């Protein structure tokens, strides 16, 4: 993985010339349709939508954009930052895509996360002369994203960069700030992404995976990049990535709320309620892995000794995200995504019924978490974390689809359900 510094030279004449540049086609090969190994999120786009579909209805103003699933949300990275994915290979030919709408759709996605640290992953493979947007559109798109969007993006990873994209970034040096340029990283192979995010949680298009395999096969054995590490068998005392039922069986007191949740919530209740932006900041990935290892090895973890509120917040989110099944369960996925269709008069009753249908460990853990988050939002004048802000942070960590990734059309309803749960928690858990 490499990072190239892009210097802001402040040359207005160069900036003006960008709009007049004409690039010759560098990637003009036509690729076959992405037919093999399609996930549910990829195959649904061509099917008629029904009540159980997480996609936008056909009459929604962004339907034409959402159905291609160019943009996805994929949980948190290894640093506790939200991950937004952009798939170039899913862009249709230029005449079939409204690029202005695409830009507005991307802004709509980012608007939910720009107040928090976030990571953007761009899969470049599949951008061809047919679907490549104009240079002027790229320039205008960069200018459209003001400081609000650039401030908290901690990294932009360009996967499988080509000479075209590298040349483009060189051409754009006059308008790309030095500070933003330092956030741009080239990723040559998918295995390198493991340092940033667990690739299993990304729905990587099969065309991208196949291209990555071809790149590897073309290398000499001595220059082969490392493969993604294989999944190791769980430790006898494993805590992260383990079903709640098993954690309860191991607990000496049979507590249905896992020790990680008890530890982090206990510490944050004492030290974090008045910290501005709690749950919005990332943490040192080395410390996160160290704490995870200590929990997984059965060692006692004293978060008070570490005195790091943001570390504890990331550990809590990471624990929830690494559950083999989301806390709200796959069984409730369709009900929650379609919860907005429930009348306002019936929402509390329906929500209470849904929540009470959860397995005992899930219900107890959810109640424990939501009760704590209600304390956090009660201090929102100080910490700036209202129920809406907390819902944006925790919604994707409480529920996701079986393929792990979520489109903007699914993330919205999940966040809205979470916000309503926080608003009505005193009635839902009464």
């Amino acid at each position: 993985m490499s990072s190239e510094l892009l210097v802001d030279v402040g040359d207005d004449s160069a900036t003006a010339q960008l709009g007049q540049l004409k690039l010759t086609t560098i990637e003009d090969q036509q690729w076959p349709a992405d037919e093999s190994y399609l996930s549910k999120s990829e195959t649904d786009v061509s099917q008629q939508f029904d009540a159980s579909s997480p996609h936008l209805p056909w009459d929604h103003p962004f339907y034409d954009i959402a159905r291609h699933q160019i943009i996805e949300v994929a949980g948190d990275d290894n640093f506790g930052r939200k991950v937004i994915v952009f798939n170039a290979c899913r862009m249709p030919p230029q005449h079939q895509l409204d690029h202005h709408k695409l830009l507005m759709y991307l802004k709509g996605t980012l608007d939910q996360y720009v107040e928090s640290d976030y990571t953007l992953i761009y899969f470049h493979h599949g951008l061809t002369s047919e679907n490549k947007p104009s240079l002027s559109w790229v320039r205008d798109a960069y200018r459209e994203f003001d400081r609000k969007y650039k401030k908290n993006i901690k990294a932009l990873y360009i996967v499988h960069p080509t000479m075209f994209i590298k040349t483009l970034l060189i051409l754009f040096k006059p308008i790309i700030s030095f500070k933003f340029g330092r956030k741009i990283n080239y990723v040559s192979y998918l295995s390198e992404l493991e340092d940033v995010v667990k690739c299993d949680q990304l729905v990587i298009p099969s065309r991208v995976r196949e291209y990555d395999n071809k790149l590897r096969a073309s290398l000499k054995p001595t220059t082969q990049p490392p493969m993604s590490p294989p999944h190791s068998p769980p430790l006898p005392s494993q805590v992260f990535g383990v079903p709640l039922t098993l954690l309860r069986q191991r607990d000496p007191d049979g507590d249905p709320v896992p020790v990680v949740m008890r530890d982090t919530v206990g510490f944050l209740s004492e030290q974090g309620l008045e910290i501005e932006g709690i749950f919005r900041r990332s943490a040192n990935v080395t410390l996160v892995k160290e704490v995870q290892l200590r929990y997984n090895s059965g060692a006692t973890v004293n978060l008070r000794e570490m005195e790091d509120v943001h570390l504890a917040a990331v550990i809590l989110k990471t624990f929830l995200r690494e559950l083999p099944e989301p806390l709200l369960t796959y069984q409730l996925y369709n009900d929650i995504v379609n919860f907005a269709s429930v009348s306002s008069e019936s929402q509390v009753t329906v929500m209470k019924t849904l929540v009470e249908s959860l397995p005992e460990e899930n219900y107890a853990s959810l109640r424990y978490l939501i009760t704590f988050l209600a304390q956090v939002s009660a201090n929102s004048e100080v910490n700036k974390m209202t129920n809406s802000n907390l819902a944006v942070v925790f919604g994707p960590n409480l529920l996701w689809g079986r393929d792990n990734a979520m489109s903007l059309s699914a993330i919205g309803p999940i966040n809205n359900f979470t916000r309503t749960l926080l608003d009505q928690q005193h009635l839902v858990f009464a």
Side-chain angles (χ1 to χ4, degrees):
M1 186 183 303
S2 63
S3 176
E4 298 199 2
L5 305 184
L6 303 175
V7 181
D8 185 0
V9 297
D11 187 343
D12 292 336
S13 61
T15 300
Q17 292 171 1
L18 281 175
Q20 303 172 6
L21 289 173
K22 300 292 183 181
L23 295 184
T24 57
T25 300
I26 294 177
E27 290 179 280
D28 57 359
Q29 182 174 356
Q30 302 304 307
W31 300 93
D34 191 12
E35 297 175 347
S36 58
Y37 307 104
L38 292 180
S39 68
K40 179 180 183 297
S41 64
E42 290 172 295
T43 55
D44 277 353
V45 298
S46 60
Q47 297 173 1
Q48 183 176 1
F49 293 97
D50 55 33
S52 64
S53 173
H55 299 281
L56 296 177
W58 67 269
D59 57 350
H60 191 280
F62 283 117
Y63 167 81
D64 283 343
I65 305 298
R67 69 190 181 94
H68 296 294
Q69 294 198 285
I70 300 165
I71 301 164
E72 294 180 317
V73 180
D76 294 355
D77 65 12
N78 297 339
F79 303 85
R81 308 179 297 217
K82 279 290 175 287
V83 177
I84 311 296
V85 178
F86 190 103
N87 299 292
C89 70
R90 291 182 178 168
M91 294 177 66
Q94 295 175 16
H95 67 279
Q96 296 179 14
L97 182 66
D98 185 328
H99 287 85
H100 176 71
K101 272 191 176 181
L102 174 63
L103 180 58
M104 294 303 101
Y105 186 71
L106 178 58
K107 288 184 69 174
T109 303
L110 295 180
D111 276 339
Q112 301 179 62
Y113 304 107
V114 292
E115 296 302 323
S116 306
D117 295 348
Y118 70 99
T119 295
L120 186 61
I121 298 177
Y122 168 61
F123 289 111
H124 178 63
H125 176 69
L127 193 72
T128 70
S129 58
E130 282 201 355
N131 67 358
K132 183 172 61 182
S134 68
L135 187 64
S136 60
W137 181 88
V138 176
R139 177 200 60 201
D140 294 342
Y142 177 80
R143 288 173 170 167
E144 185 75 24
F145 290 100
D146 55 26
R147 186 175 182 275
K148 178 181 80 169
Y149 297 93
K150 297 168 187 172
K151 180 180 68 171
N152 286 332
I153 180 172
K154 296 305 176 183
L156 165 59
Y157 295 97
I158 300 176
V159 183
H160 299 140
T162 60
M163 282 304 299
F164 167 76
I165 196 69
K166 291 180 179 180
T167 302
L168 190 64
L169 289 176
I170 292 172
L171 290 171
F172 271 73
K173 272 187 179 182
I175 63 171
I176 296 180
S177 70
F178 175 78
K179 194 171 183 179
F180 184 79
R182 289 188 300 173
K183 300 177 182 181
I184 299 175
N185 299 273
Y186 292 143
V187 179
S188 299
Y189 305 97
L190 293 177
S191 58
E192 295 176 5
L193 274 180
E194 289 289 341
D195 293 334
V196 180
V197 63
K198 293 177 176 61
C199 287
D200 285 350
Q201 76 186 59
L202 304 176
V203 182
I204 302 173
S206 59
R207 285 175 58 186
V208 174
R209 290 190 180 276
E210 289 164 6
Y211 179 70
D212 191 73
N213 290 336
K214 289 178 182 178
L215 287 179
R216 287 176 171 279
S218 67
L219 294 176
K220 296 179 181 179
T222 54
T223 59
Q224 281 286 336
M227 295 292 291
S228 299
H231 292 290
S232 55
L235 299 169
S237 55
Q238 185 97 15
V239 173
F240 286 80
V242 175
L244 294 177
T245 51
L246 181 56
L247 294 178
R248 184 179 187 180
Q249 292 170 12
R250 291 180 184 167
D251 191 275
D253 300 319
D255 197 323
V257 180
V259 64
V260 176
M261 293 186 66
R262 301 199 305 267
D263 287 351
T264 52
V265 168
F267 172 70
L268 292 171
S269 296
E270 296 175 5
Q271 307 284 341
L273 294 181
E274 296 187 352
I275 300 297
E276 184 174 341
I278 181 176
F279 296 117
R280 279 182 163 170
R281 301 280 77 86
S282 51
N284 184 296
V285 70
T286 302
L287 289 177
V288 172
K289 290 180 177 178
E290 180 183 320
V291 171
Q292 284 185 281
L293 182 60
R294 289 173 66 179
Y295 271 117
N296 287 337
S297 63
T300 300
V301 177
N302 190 336
L303 295 172
R304 291 168 182 81
E305 289 181 354
M306 301 179 189
E307 298 182 335
D308 189 335
V309 168
H310 297 302
L311 174 63
V314 169
I315 290 295
L316 175 58
K317 292 188 294 180
T318 301
F319 174 80
L320 293 170
R321 183 65 201 186
E322 292 192 4
L323 287 171
E325 182 173 5
L327 193 61
L328 287 171
T329 71
Y330 295 130
Q331 185 174 346
L332 296 187
Y333 183 85
N334 287 338
D335 292 311
I336 290 173
V337 167
N338 292 289
F339 184 75
S341 62
V342 177
S343 65
S344 56
E345 299 81 12
S346 305
Q347 284 190 349
V348 172
T349 302
V350 172
M351 182 173 283
K352 188 177 179 68
T353 300
L354 291 175
V355 168
E356 289 179 350
S357 72
L358 290 169
E360 186 176 348
E361 296 81 11
N362 296 64
Y363 178 86
S365 298
L366 180 66
R367 180 174 185 171
Y368 186 78
L369 175 67
I370 296 298
T371 301
F372 161 64
L373 294 182
Q375 290 181 276
V376 175
S377 65
N379 289 271
S380 61
E381 288 191 8
V382 178
N383 61 38
K384 311 302 182 186
M385 296 303 290
T386 61
N387 283 347
S388 293
N389 292 336
L390 288 169
V392 168
V393 171
F394 278 91
N397 292 309
L398 294 178
L399 185 65
W400 55 86
R402 290 185 184 274
D403 60 9
N404 282 305
M406 287 181 281
S407 64
L408 178 60
S409 53
I411 202 77
I414 291 171
N415 291 348
N416 288 336
F417 178 89
T418 306
R419 190 201 69 241
T420 305
L421 180 59
L422 287 165
D423 290 341
Q424 307 294 341
Q425 56 87 25
H426 59 292
L427 298 175
V428 174
F429 296 108

